[in-house]
Amino acid sequence: GDNENDILYIKIRNGKLVYTEIYDRWGLMMYEQAGENVYWDGYTMGGQEASIGVYYYIITIEKFDGEIMKFTGAFSLFK
């Protein structure tokens, strides 16, 4: 809410973003989006505010040569 790091934005340099998923620590999907220009502002898909904690992502990209790659990791949400 202070306009500092309020949005998780994914930028791909060597391909295009195909699909993004974000899960909470219990495996509940909090966000999913197909296509490019994906960002998450800390709310669930239903519009409910996400709690402080660790979240996990799966990002699928298509490289310019057509190869599909998946990247996974975690991040912490603070408010």
Side-chain angles (χ1 to χ4, degrees):
D2 61 0
N3 294 323
E4 298 270 336
N5 298 318
D6 287 349
I7 295 175
L8 173 67
Y9 178 73
I10 301 164
K11 185 174 182 178
I12 306 298
R13 289 182 284 192
N14 296 323
K16 66 179 181 178
L17 188 60
V18 177
Y19 195 69
T20 302
E21 303 163 76
I22 297 176
Y23 296 89
D24 68 10
R25 62 182 168 201
W26 295 285
L28 178 66
M29 182 180 283
M30 303 295 289
Y31 177 82
E32 69 177 333
Q33 181 68 44
E36 300 184 52
N37 299 321
V38 171
Y39 66 90
W40 187 57
D41 61 4
Y43 286 84
T44 65
M45 289 185 63
Q48 299 296 317
E49 195 169 347
S51 61
I52 294 170
V54 176
Y55 292 82
Y56 302 91
Y57 63 84
I58 302 172
I59 298 170
T60 305
I61 68 164
E62 181 180 356
K63 292 174 62 177
F64 292 128
D65 65 5
E67 180 184 3
I68 302 294
M69 298 182 72
K70 286 192 180 217
F71 297 91
T72 62
F75 64 92
S76 296
L77 178 64
F78 296 98
K79 297 183 180 190

